[in-house]
Amino acid sequence: MPLASDQQTHIPGTADLDNPLYYLENFETVVRWVRRFHSDLLTADEIGKVDGLLSLDQPARALLARMVMRTGDLFRVEKFNYPEIGVPVNDAVSALATKGWIEDNPSVPLAELFRLFTLGELRTALANQISAAGLPATAAKGLLKDTLIPLHPDIAPVDLWLPDVSTQVIRLNHMALFDRLRLMFFGNLRQSWSDFVLVELGHQQYEQVPLSAESRAFDKRDDVDRYLVMHHCRERLDQGEAPETVWQDIPTANENAWLESRRGRLLFELGKLAERGGNTELALKAYRLSGHRESRLRQLRLLERLKQHHEAWKIAQAATDEPRFGAEERGLERILTRLAKKLGEALPQQSERPQLTAFTLELDNPDGHSVEWAAMQHLSEPDTPVAYVENTLINGLFGLLCWPALFEPLPGAFFHPFHTGPVDLYREDFVERRQALFDDCLGTLASDNYKTRIRDTWQGKQGIASPFVIWPILSEELLEMALTCIPAQHLERMFRRLLGNLREHRSGFPDLIRFRPDHNDPNRRYEMIEVKGPGDRLQDHQTRWLEFCVDHGIPVSVCYVRWTDR
């Protein structure tokens, strides 16, 4: 169903925390938004439930919202303390039970009782079971759990488990529907109902991006279903279920590139668990189907370990024609070199790499500071200040300069007001879809206009969430020193490399930056320094950034720190 043309006048917001029922208002914002703009992705039964929910009396809706926002679906009524709902809790419970939103006295496994009840209550209620298991009456809760749960695997109503405990336990029904509503609103299940509260409390601010008729996370119900299935598969793996059983429920491939990337990550994680558990056949199958950026290297290393050298050689050779990312390119070189020696093949030609400048410092560190901090303190001078910035400075300057491109309201990029950045940030066509916008932003580097744009964005967007700007670190002093000392040409070269692979290239920058604002050569008024402590070595993604900088005349070096033997 296309979104209504007046959607712009109904952008959801957060409730005022002075309202005691702020959480209900936030909860119903999600429910009403999905009901209005996503009803084509809901079944008639789900729409009926949503409409029934919204027609409940306010106290019942408030209690329902409270339960949805809490962990789990089982609750003790006597533990509820919500005077703001305006009626006795038992009245709201009865109203919800009448409409089928809760189940009274549900059948539960014994494990749930250990979550709901105190040790004292359980010792009294389970006295017979504790005695029959040969445990002392004073046994700790952990021991009781470990012993009794395997002995009593069946489920039973709470009043049968605990006949002498004065309690009322209820189960919230339809949690799957609430997860579905939350998923369709946020586009993921990481964000929770509390995100609204965080916004109102000032813990997070979001860029207000105009929403259009295409501003939805999902266009097909099947895509929502696939997401939920994969999410539950990942939960099962995280809870320790065998990868062999989870494998049976992983959906087959489909044409949705975003969901396929999620499926690839799921298969990659399943493959690692299968490999760890010794099921190498399943691991190889999962890696082959994954498409995850790291899966091919993992597959090749496993084939090497299994001495399937010919198969590994064939895959590695084919992969060199189209490496998935920079680190894979280096990894393939190493694997092909090892395989060539074992198979008697010609050694692959190694790519030429520039020489890196390096120096060594011997430092005293009686207070046990980090190696980066110690090097920064030693190198800093009044006329050559040093800052510990790692990945924050260049990414931050990029994020400030390219803010309009990053937050352009393209279809599929934003679909609610609580995004920290575009959801398609790491998709292959991200830059292509915004090429003209990025060209415009980077075009300002041809004059001093870029400095004005960066300063204006730093001032005007202060504190608003961005995938590239870490506000507490990017101070005005650091910003001004960077704009003074780093040439525009160097920024453009680094920004264009970033755009070549945002996921990979946003990390690996050197730890420190040393400013030399009075240097005669404008290209040498700063230097980026990667710091390595004893026993540490350069990682591939760090080496690639360092080599790129050397190739493009950007001043970088590697500082090796040795601790003074005291």
Side-chain angles (χ1 to χ4, degrees):
M1 177 183 78
L3 299 189
S5 60
D6 64 341
Q7 179 179 347
Q8 277 297 154
T9 64
H10 294 87
I11 299 299
T14 57
D16 184 349
L17 290 184
D18 290 334
N19 174 10
L21 294 173
Y22 70 93
Y23 59 89
L24 175 60
E25 184 178 338
N26 291 334
F27 172 71
E28 292 185 348
T29 292
V30 173
V31 175
R32 294 181 189 279
W33 179 268
V34 175
R35 174 64 178 92
R36 180 170 186 172
F37 300 122
H38 300 71
S39 58
D40 58 317
L41 306 183
L42 298 171
T43 65
D45 180 64
E46 289 166 343
I47 291 174
K49 285 186 171 63
V50 169
D51 291 344
L53 183 160
L54 295 173
S55 68
L56 291 170
D57 290 340
Q58 185 180 82
R61 300 200 315 273
L63 180 60
L64 182 65
R66 280 290 193 186
M67 290 189 288
V68 170
M69 294 181 188
R70 288 177 54 171
T71 301
D73 59 359
L74 292 172
F75 306 95
R76 295 178 64 179
V77 173
E78 64 271 16
K79 296 295 183 181
F80 287 153
N81 182 26
Y82 303 131
E84 79 281 353
I85 69 175
V87 300
V89 167
N90 284 330
D91 292 352
V93 167
S94 297
L96 291 173
T98 300
K99 297 296 184 178
W101 287 104
I102 62 171
E103 176 187 358
D104 193 16
N105 194 32
S107 294
V108 300
L110 183 58
E112 290 289 355
L113 301 186
F114 281 92
R115 185 178 66 82
L116 292 168
F117 292 89
T118 67
L119 176 59
E121 291 170 323
L122 292 170
R123 281 175 175 168
T124 300
L126 300 176
N128 292 336
Q129 292 92 328
I130 293 171
S131 176
L135 295 175
T138 58
K141 196 170 187 178
L143 178 59
L144 292 179
K145 284 179 63 176
D146 294 342
T147 304
L148 296 181
I149 290 175
L151 295 175
H152 303 277
D154 296 331
I155 63 172
V158 174
D159 61 1
L160 289 183
W161 282 120
L162 309 175
D164 299 323
V165 176
S166 177
T167 185
Q168 181 182 9
V169 173
I170 59 175
R171 170 178 279 129
L172 175 62
N173 293 328
H174 313 306
M175 273 304 298
L177 172 62
F178 295 119
D179 285 341
R180 182 179 290 270
L181 297 176
R182 179 162 57 95
L183 172 59
M184 285 191 285
F185 183 84
F186 287 115
N188 62 71
L189 289 174
R190 298 186 308 276
Q191 286 179 281
S192 68
W193 311 100
S194 64
D195 282 53
F196 291 95
V197 180
L198 291 174
V199 177
E200 191 64 25
L201 289 174
H203 292 173
Q204 187 66 282
Q205 301 176 59
Y206 298 92
E207 178 74 338
Q208 292 303 294
V209 178
L211 300 178
S212 68
E214 294 83 16
S215 300
R216 300 205 302 179
F218 301 95
D219 288 320
K220 300 177 182 177
R221 181 178 175 86
D222 180 65
D223 288 345
V224 182
D225 292 340
R226 292 174 65 82
Y227 187 109
L228 288 167
V229 169
M230 290 189 289
H231 177 77
H232 294 144
C233 285
R234 182 57 190 266
E235 283 186 326
R236 289 161 59 191
L237 289 175
D238 291 343
Q239 292 164 3
E241 187 171 336
E244 290 79 5
T245 56
V246 176
W247 166 263
Q248 306 298 323
D249 296 326
I250 293 180
T252 57
N254 82 339
E255 71 281 358
N256 186 309
W258 171 48
L259 290 175
E260 275 305 287
S261 69
R262 295 190 63 86
R263 179 174 174 272
R265 290 198 297 274
L266 174 61
L267 287 167
F268 180 62
E269 293 302 321
L270 184 143
K272 288 196 297 183
L273 290 171
E275 181 180 352
R276 196 174 304 151
N279 191 340
T280 56
E281 181 180 354
L282 177 59
L284 288 173
K285 187 182 297 184
Y287 293 149
R288 279 195 296 268
L289 294 176
S290 169
H292 185 272
R293 57 202 300 267
E294 298 179 32
S295 63
R296 193 156 52 189
L297 283 180
R298 191 94 186 196
Q299 177 191 8
L300 289 169
R301 292 179 185 128
L302 179 54
L303 288 171
E304 277 191 285
R305 186 159 60 85
L306 296 173
K307 302 188 184 307
Q308 298 181 27
H309 298 142
H310 289 284
E311 177 69 11
W313 175 263
K314 182 173 69 172
I315 294 172
Q317 278 195 313
T320 57
D321 295 332
E322 194 177 349
R324 289 174 180 164
F325 63 114
E328 186 182 56
E329 184 177 357
R330 298 287 173 87
L332 289 171
E333 285 183 5
R334 298 189 187 105
I335 289 172
L336 283 169
T337 298
R338 294 195 299 266
L339 292 173
K341 293 176 180 178
K342 292 173 181 175
L343 297 174
E345 300 283 354
L347 291 174
Q349 184 176 358
Q350 298 292 321
S351 57
E352 293 187 15
R353 294 172 187 168
Q355 186 69 33
L356 301 179
T357 299
F359 63 96
T360 301
L361 295 177
E362 290 194 4
L363 303 177
D364 193 15
N365 189 24
D367 297 324
H369 292 296
S370 71
V371 66
E372 296 87 0
W373 189 93
M376 178 187 71
Q377 290 295 105
H378 178 81
L379 294 171
S380 290
E381 300 289 346
D383 58 342
T384 58
V386 179
Y388 181 16
V389 295
E390 200 171 12
N391 299 313
T392 60
L393 178 58
I394 302 303
N395 278 324
L397 294 172
F398 169 80
L400 292 173
L401 181 67
C402 297
W403 194 283
L406 293 170
F407 288 97
E408 176 70 11
L410 296 181
F414 301 93
F415 34 84
H416 62 73
F418 307 101
H419 287 293
T420 58
V423 297
D424 62 337
L425 182 63
Y426 298 129
R427 297 183 201 171
E428 291 184 0
D429 62 347
F430 174 78
V431 176
E432 180 184 348
R433 297 178 69 201
R434 301 160 174 82
Q435 191 65 63
L437 293 165
F438 281 116
D439 288 344
D440 176 71
C441 294
L442 269 57
T444 62
L445 292 162
S447 68
D448 274 353
N449 290 342
Y450 79 95
K451 295 182 180 180
T452 300
R453 178 176 289 199
I454 287 175
R455 290 187 181 109
D456 288 348
T457 305
W458 186 90
Q459 189 68 43
K461 303 296 184 180
Q462 187 68 222
I464 294 177
S466 162
F468 293 98
V469 183
I470 309 300
W471 295 106
I473 295 177
L474 194 58
S475 66
E476 188 170 13
E477 180 184 10
L478 176 60
L479 180 70
E480 289 302 325
M481 186 64 75
L483 292 178
T484 298
C485 296
I486 305 177
Q489 302 95 314
H490 293 184
L491 290 176
E492 181 174 5
R493 289 164 186 163
M494 289 187 280
F495 292 170
R496 290 200 181 278
R497 183 171 192 264
L498 262 176
L499 288 172
N501 189 330
L502 286 168
R503 182 191 296 276
E504 181 182 352
H505 294 166
R506 64 182 299 167
S507 64
F509 288 99
D511 300 302
L512 309 180
I513 185 166
R514 175 162 54 183
F515 297 110
R516 298 186 174 110
D518 298 326
H519 199 287
N520 292 331
D521 184 349
N523 291 320
R524 296 289 165 179
R525 289 179 180 158
Y526 76 105
E527 177 189 16
M528 295 190 292
I529 304 170
E530 177 63 33
V531 181
K532 290 298 173 187
D536 199 3
R537 64 179 182 85
L538 291 172
Q539 303 298 310
D540 280 349
H541 67 304
Q542 296 170 334
T543 300
R544 288 194 300 277
W545 258 118
L546 292 168
E547 292 176 349
F548 172 86
C549 289
V550 172
D551 281 338
H552 291 84
I554 297 171
V556 292
S557 60
V558 182
C559 171
Y560 292 98
V561 174
R562 298 175 183 169
W563 301 127
T564 302
D565 185 359
R566 302 185 66 220

